[in-house]
Amino acid sequence: MKEKKLSLTSQIFIGLLSGLVLGVLVHYFLPAGPFKDRFLINGLFQLFGTGFMRLMQMLVVPLVFFSIVTGAMSIGDTKRLGKVGLKTLAFYIVTTALAIIIALSFSQLTNPGIGLNLSEVKTAQTEIAKSAATGIDMVLDIIPKNPIESLTSGNMLQIIFFALFLGIILASLGNHVPVITRFMNEANEVMMTMTFNVMKAAPVGVFALIAKTFSDIGFDGFLPMVKYMLTVSGGLAIQLVAVYGLLLFIFTRTNPFTFFKRFSPVLGFAFSTASSGATVPVNIQTLEDMGVSKKISSFTIPLGATINMDGTAIMQGVAVIFVAQAFGIHLELSDFLTVIGTATMASIGTAAVPGVGLITLAMVFNSVGLPVEGIGLIMGIDRVLDMARTAVNCSGDAVVTTIVAHQEGLFNKASLYKAKSVDEEDYSNLDDVEI
């Protein structure tokens, strides 16, 4: 009898848990020295963890570009594409605003900054610009002066704008440009297949990333900030269960528990990498297995990875209350409204890479006069929270994509309720993909 092969999903979760355990053991029980610091943490863990992340980041720009071009082409009708785009954008903005409101409201109940002894908190030096671009500048910056330069620099909003424009033009020309159209479709297939081959290294990469994180920080850095961390985690949980769960049920009549059970591989991968961009291909593939057409997901998921940062918005809302209370600064209702508007705008164009939420947090702090130096209070423990909020970011992208696909008649709900278990979902069939 042939022994059942362990799925990639199971391997990734095993790598995550094993890395966490090993990282904690290394932090507390392995004495400092060349073996621990140079060979293990900054050697093997750094090599395999960062190496895997660089492989994923290598694929993000071409994958997003070809995905959006082919997604716009596949939708075809420019009126329908415009309707899908506006609907998706509206959902993303609303869920982000709700995330900030939840964060501010929940923080008022937990008071994360009250009673904090600042001398006990590990701080870090912050050198973050205190000036923010105007609204007009942000809009104009979406239009690339040189699309090739945008591709090489990884400016995701400009890449999305150019790819969307190109896809619309190719869709309108139809059979007049068969060579370019075929090239775009085949290039997208190549990038997807390349991504899935890189994904075979995910268990090792995830193991190394988690092991390095917990080898560095252990649990010591968490203790003085436990109230802040619990508040952020609570806000993320409310957003995931209440907001996304209700939206799924209201707009698609889908069982949220079934949805997130099938979606759990993406949650685990997003948590491990802390990068929405690196999670794009896994998100698209998993949603396709769950019945969401790539005609929608290949357009909405890359867009969401760039402009929909609900988890980041929750962190920023909690951080505002935390720093204001820690420094004894009183905030008025107008300040809260300003935070909601600024944090929503700050999430648009945020790079889908680890830790970038701390950079945009400076813009939010400036909008209500909080000291930017307060960001240094949370930098020491932000890595783990960054991992958690990335999982929420990717969940928001998937939920909105599913709702839009359902409304466009491109969501096969029966695929979601198949008897196929999470552990049976893997990428083993990719060895047979023909390019």
Side-chain angles (χ1 to χ4, degrees):
M1 182 177 178
K2 188 177 179 181
E3 189 175 336
K4 184 180 177 181
K5 182 181 177 182
L6 197 63
S7 71
L8 183 61
T9 297
S10 299
Q11 293 176 42
I12 290 175
F13 278 115
I14 291 171
L16 191 155
L17 294 175
S18 301
L20 190 153
V21 172
L22 179 60
V24 171
L25 291 175
V26 167
H27 180 81
Y28 289 106
F29 299 106
L30 193 63
F35 176 78
K36 175 181 178 180
D37 300 327
R38 295 181 186 176
F39 178 76
L40 208 56
I41 298 177
N42 296 311
L44 291 179
F45 294 164
Q46 175 83 6
L47 174 64
F48 289 103
T50 305
F52 173 70
M53 280 298 299
R54 287 179 71 98
L55 282 172
M56 293 301 296
Q57 290 166 349
M58 171 187 74
L59 302 173
V60 168
V61 168
L63 182 68
V64 168
F65 176 75
F66 289 118
S67 289
I68 289 187
V69 171
T70 54
M73 286 165 47
S74 63
I75 292 177
D77 183 5
T78 53
K79 288 185 178 179
R80 187 181 190 186
L81 180 62
K83 184 173 71 170
V84 168
L86 289 175
K87 195 181 297 182
T88 303
L89 185 62
F91 269 112
Y92 282 156
I93 291 175
V94 168
T95 56
T96 301
L98 284 174
I100 302 163
I101 293 171
I102 288 171
L104 294 174
S105 303
F106 191 54
S107 298
Q108 293 290 343
L109 295 176
T110 61
N111 296 315
I114 291 180
L116 180 70
N117 185 351
L118 298 182
S119 64
E120 294 179 357
V121 179
K122 179 182 178 182
T123 61
Q125 294 297 320
T126 56
E127 295 182 3
I128 301 175
K130 297 191 178 184
S131 61
T134 65
I136 293 177
D137 291 335
M138 291 177 66
V139 172
L140 290 176
D141 193 53
I142 296 174
I143 305 172
K145 295 179 182 178
N146 182 345
I148 305 301
E149 182 182 349
S150 302
L151 287 166
T152 56
S153 64
N155 188 318
M156 296 308 296
L157 271 184
Q158 293 183 359
I159 291 170
I160 289 173
F161 179 88
F162 180 70
L164 184 58
F165 193 20
L166 178 59
I168 292 171
I169 295 299
L170 291 176
S172 65
L173 290 174
N175 295 328
H176 294 290
V177 285
V179 175
I180 298 178
T181 299
R182 182 178 176 183
F183 169 77
M184 290 295 173
N185 283 317
E186 291 183 346
N188 188 51
E189 286 296 321
V190 169
M191 291 310 305
M192 291 297 291
T193 306
M194 187 182 296
T195 300
F196 294 134
N197 277 281
V198 170
M199 278 295 297
K200 292 176 181 178
V204 176
V206 165
F207 169 81
L209 287 167
I210 296 295
K212 185 178 188 307
T213 295
F214 283 90
S215 295
D216 285 332
I217 61 179
F219 295 117
D220 295 337
F222 299 165
L223 296 179
M225 302 287 287
V226 66
K227 206 172 179 182
Y228 167 79
M229 294 184 68
L230 288 175
T231 302
V232 173
S233 300
L236 294 174
I238 293 171
Q239 181 77 6
L240 186 67
V241 176
V243 175
Y244 296 156
L246 283 174
L247 286 176
L248 267 175
F249 181 76
I250 292 170
F251 287 97
T252 70
R253 287 297 186 265
T254 297
N255 186 328
F257 297 102
T258 303
F259 181 90
F260 285 114
K261 180 182 177 183
R262 293 289 304 275
F263 193 69
S264 60
V266 183
L267 292 174
F269 187 80
F271 181 84
S272 304
T273 61
S275 171
S276 298
T279 311
V280 164
V282 189
N283 208 339
I284 292 174
Q285 180 61 42
T286 303
L287 285 178
E288 185 181 30
D289 294 339
M290 293 163 61
V292 177
S293 171
K294 276 189 178 179
K295 288 184 178 181
I296 298 295
S297 63
S298 61
F299 169 64
T300 57
I301 293 298
L303 182 66
T306 303
I307 70 171
N308 185 45
M309 299 289 178
D310 296 349
T312 303
I314 286 172
M315 178 275 291
Q316 292 175 341
V318 174
V320 165
I321 302 297
F322 170 73
V323 171
Q325 291 178 345
F327 283 89
I329 299 172
H330 178 70
L331 297 177
E332 303 288 346
L333 176 61
S334 59
D335 295 321
F336 293 134
L337 296 176
T338 300
V339 168
I340 293 171
T342 307
T344 302
M345 290 300 298
S347 70
I348 300 176
T350 297
V353 296
V356 75
L358 292 177
I359 306 300
T360 57
L361 184 57
M363 183 191 303
V364 179
F365 276 17
N366 286 329
S367 69
V368 290
L370 292 177
V372 177
E373 292 74 19
I375 297 174
L377 295 174
I378 60 178
M379 287 185 71
I381 48 87
D382 188 66
R383 171 65 183 176
V384 174
L385 291 178
D386 191 15
M387 295 155 71
R389 62 179 181 257
T390 301
V392 171
N393 290 341
C394 294
S395 299
D397 300 343
V399 167
V400 170
T401 295
T402 303
I403 292 172
V404 173
H406 175 76
Q407 294 181 341
E408 295 299 315
L410 294 171
F411 174 40
N412 181 10
K413 195 184 294 186
S415 297
L416 176 65
Y417 291 101
K418 279 182 181 178
K420 190 177 184 181
S421 69
V422 171
D423 277 346
E424 289 173 329
E425 290 187 58
D426 61 22
Y427 304 96
S428 57
N429 62 328
L430 293 167
D431 294 331
D432 302 325
V433 173
E434 295 182 2
I435 303 175

